[in-house]
Structure formats: structure tokens, C-alpha cells
Amino acid sequence: MFVLPEVAVTAQQSVAFLIFVAPLCIYVAWNDLRAMKIPTWSTDALAIIFVVVGIFVMPFSDYLWRYAHFAVVLVLAIIANMIGMMGAGDSKFLASAAPFVALSDVTLVFYLLGAGMLAGLVVHRIAKRIPAIRNMVPDWKSWDEKRRFPMGFPMGAVLIVYLARPLF
């Protein structure tokens, strides 16, 4: 049986962040599947959630250091966007999500992202071939994409799973 390792997020942080982050991640996933876009306001909102909630639930030094996570991931994500590895919305989402992840948990989150991207791709590709599912949301742009994939779908799920880990 596979069990996720412990994470640096506390139960208090988990609950406080998830109240705001989970609905936003679900919206991001839905919108990326529907329109192949992650709106800037949603990535801004994700960053603001960390700024506002984080100050109350994290030790101040940890809270400040997490802004370095934002900066590093933003630079790497911009480069990935420039070379065509991912869209701009995906890049902004990763950067805005980075402060939620403790440095000690980065390896775990990379594994979760890898597994999440693969699972998301498989689920999406299977779902689009099932007429009953496809007919429920026939206007989704992601159904007809050949080359691009709505990465907001698995990235949002991974952030929720990571933040929820202390609760199970």
C-alpha cells in the first residue's frame, strides 16, 4: 500500500489554506479544461491567499522565505514558457503555488506533479473518448487539442493533495 510521506504543512495551515485554495484550484482546473486558459485574476488570487493567510498560520521567518520560492519558480516558469514547454497561465499558477510548498517537500511535490500530469493526461484522453462525458461539456476546447494539454487540471489537484496531506 502506498502512503504519502509526512509533509511540513501543519494541520492548522492545511485547513486555513484549503478553505480558500481548494475552490480556486477547482475553478482553475475547470476553466483550463473548458477554455485552455488560466485567468490571471485566479493566479493573483492564489498569491494573495498566501500573503494574507500565511502571515497568520506560519512562523514569520518561514513565511518570508517562501517568497524566495515564488521568485525562483517564476524565473524557471518564465523560461519554460519562453521555450514553449508550458503556457503563461501554467507558469503563473506554478509561481503563485510555490510559496505554499515547504523546501523540504519539493521532491515530494515533483513526484506528485509527475504522477498528476500523467494521471491527468490519461483521464482526460479517456474521458474525451466517452460520448456520455464529452456530451456533458461539448464546448470544452481541451477536447479538440492535439498538442497542448490543460495543465491547470493536474496542477490544481496536486496543490490540493499536498495541502490536504496533514489531514489524512
Side-chain angles (χ1 to χ4, degrees), residues 3-166:
V3 177
L4 286 175
E6 296 299 318
V7 294
V9 178
T10 67
Q12 177 192 16
Q13 292 166 352
S14 177
V15 170
F17 285 137
L18 279 172
I19 289 169
F20 303 101
V21 169
L24 187 60
C25 285
I26 291 167
Y27 169 80
V28 164
W30 180 267
N31 201 68
D32 208 16
L33 287 163
R34 183 188 63 78
M36 292 298 295
K37 294 202 181 303
I38 298 175
T40 299
W41 73 261
S42 65
T43 57
D44 293 347
L46 187 59
I48 290 167
I49 291 167
F50 179 80
V51 169
V52 173
V53 177
I55 192 82
F56 293 106
V57 297
M58 299 179 68
F60 190 65
S61 62
D62 291 349
Y63 172 77
L64 289 179
W65 271 110
R66 299 285 182 95
Y67 288 101
H69 301 193
F70 172 81
V72 168
V73 172
L74 181 62
V75 168
L76 293 174
I78 287 171
I79 292 168
N81 175 254
M82 286 172 42
I83 62 174
M85 287 178 58
M86 67 175 61
D90 303 325
S91 299
K92 292 180 285 186
F93 183 88
L94 282 177
S96 295
F100 292 94
V101 179
L103 187 58
S104 60
D105 296 335
V106 167
T107 301
L108 170 65
V109 171
F110 280 142
Y111 284 126
L112 289 174
L113 279 170
M117 294 291 179
L118 181 60
L121 180 65
V122 169
V123 166
H124 183 264
R125 295 301 189 244
I126 290 171
K128 82 178 196 176
R129 286 175 175 72
I130 300 173
I133 294 174
R134 190 163 177 156
N135 291 336
M136 287 172 36
V137 284
D139 59 336
W140 277 6
K141 284 188 174 182
S142 66
W143 292 144
D144 299 319
E145 284 291 332
K146 303 281 188 264
R147 202 174 129 293
R148 299 182 322 148
F149 174 69
M151 292 197 310
F153 169 44
M155 289 188 313
V158 165
L159 184 56
I160 291 170
V161 167
Y162 170 73
L163 289 174
R165 174 60 190 102

